[in-house]
Amino acid sequence: MAIALSESSTVPTAANDAAGSTVPQLFARALTTWSGRTALREKTKGIWRSVTWQEYGEHVRWVGLGLAALGLKPGERVAILANNGVEWVEADIGAIGAGGVSVGIYVTSVARQVAYIVNDAAARFIFVEDEEQLDKMLEVRADTPSIEKIIVFDMEGLREFRDPQVLSFAELLALGREQDTKHPERWAQLNAIPRPDDLAVLIYTSGTTGPPKGAMISHRNIVYQMTHVTDAYPVNDTDNHLSFLPACHVFERLFGVWLSIGHGMVVNFAEDGETVPENLREVQPTIFAAVPRVWEKFYSSITLAVRDASALQRWAYKLALAVAYRAADAELAGKQPNVGLRLARWVAYWTVLRTVRQMIGIDRCRTCLSSAAPISPELLRWFRALGINMVEGYGMTEATGGITINPFDRYRLGSVGKALPESEVRVSRDGEILVRGPHIFMGYLNKPDRTAEALKDGWLHTGDVGSIDADGYVKITDRLKDIIITAGGKNITPSEIENELKFSPYISDAVVIGDGRKFLSCLVMIDADNVARFAQDNAIPFTNYASLTQAPEVVALIQREIDAVNKKFARVESIRSFRLIDRLLTPEDEELTPTLKLKRAFVNKRYGDLIESMYRAA
């Protein structure tokens, strides 16, 4: 199905007639459609560098031809161990274009984890970002016999390094360029090899309950998402996107690679995780998709900035937001705000709210999406009040990304939207969400038992509990395995409580505990920056993150935040005890997923003694 292009778009969308196509075929169409226009942008030494579709296509071709010259056969695996960037997508699409299968590996993985994925996928080649990632591969070289060549993107610090198994990305491109000159017909021949139902990508899950599982994603799965996500989430060749989540995660792969190929959107790569706010303000994207933790961080930064503002500024913000909330609530209720309210909102935008949007970096955004984890409805309402067309979607790796998205013109707060076209969503007798359609994955590599658990009679069993209303809107309650049944027999969905807690600018994440217990307790991860700022403003001494979590004033601060949330729930759903995690967690830590969520099962196990201390104290 074709997406509706904006009036400013002057060229057709490559994915419009994509049914039955493969990734190489769509990429070839994109090169013809957009040719000399900008495809990718990357910041190098403080300057944004643009890569045209023509340059992108040349490098992809040379990567693929280089790999073929080194012996890559159709269906063989090529791993990528690097941060997002131009080289990442060139290696990814180049490997797929040569008939291979792309396998992303998180740079936060330690050497043994890299070895596990390489061996499970039986990868023949691996791209690594730099000396640090190369060291991981060299450490496990003897344990990864399938690897024949290691290709390094950035050779800084490796100029004098010599190893017969290692070559630079530049050398691979030179080999591919030579093959292109000698055999100009070869690339088209390689592109013709993959069929729609062939394996294109292996995406490894984070492995919260065991070793990572390789989800097998076909060309048909990818092309479906390219075509149908945009039916609900319009994207076109005038759009800009900021890529910052790991590219080996399905969420970023969809927005940072596949939708760009399908619809000509320019992808800007953030320098690193720390510079995302700065890069967002620089790029001012028109399309921005992020996980809830990012949206929560934006809200927290504005909330604290307002607290530090002058009395007049605080009054203006409060007044403008009150007007904006009234207009947003009317629209969410399906009503058109009256003329007076529309005029008041216009004044609120130009006097106050536009500055707020610019501070975040989303003033030019016409569409924003939150997915990959539940988000507080109040947070969505706040962004709506800012005038941001913000919606929530629902997806997972096994569905190649999207499952449902809220229609922008018929958005329902608290729901994750309606099923994508040509797909089906239903609820089983025990309340589990089931999905069927062309986007459902092929199964887990080398794990037939786990595949049989996930796929039954053509339906993907998501493991999520939810409901569907009469109009087809889906509401996700929680993960089936995360539902808490207290000692008194009360069923409680912890994510609803956790989302309210994370709405606080001082709480980064929270895990509610209480299965089989007499009451609910909670482990809290504080927001390091905001709590440190609170401590400094109130002359509270601390030396490091651990000492910050132990300060009585900080504990009292979090208690007040929890007390405020408790008022929104029944007594049986109230948090009666909590503890602060005394380690500053990052994506490198096993407790966090790549999308910055605390792993519930892992946290329960790792902090078992801390949890027990709450119940012993009671």
Side-chain angles (χ1 to χ4, degrees), residues 8-55:
S8 57
S9 182
T10 58
V11 294
T13 299
N16 281 358
D17 55 349
S21 300
T22 62
V23 174
Q25 289 169 349
L26 274 187
F27 188 70
R29 294 181 195 181
L31 299 180
T32 301
T33 304
W34 294 293
S35 188
R37 296 176 63 170
T38 298
L40 310 169
R41 293 177 74 236
E42 188 172 54
K43 197 172 184 182
T44 305
K45 296 180 179 179
I47 299 174
W48 284 96
R49 177 176 67 91
S50 296
V51 176
T52 66
W53 281 96
Q54 183 177 352
E55 294 167 331

Side-chain angles (χ1 to χ4, degrees), residues 84-100:
N84 296 20
V86 171
E87 289 86 358
W88 202 105
V89 294
E90 289 173 347
D92 177 52
I93 304 303
I96 295 172

Side-chain angles (χ1 to χ4, degrees), residues 78-81 88 92 102-106 117 201-204 247-248 253:
V78 178
I80 307 173
L81 177 61
W88 202 105
D92 177 52
S102 175
V103 186
I105 304 178
Y106 294 105
I117 292 177
V201 170
L202 279 171
I203 298 181
Y204 278 81
C248 43
R253 196 73 148 271

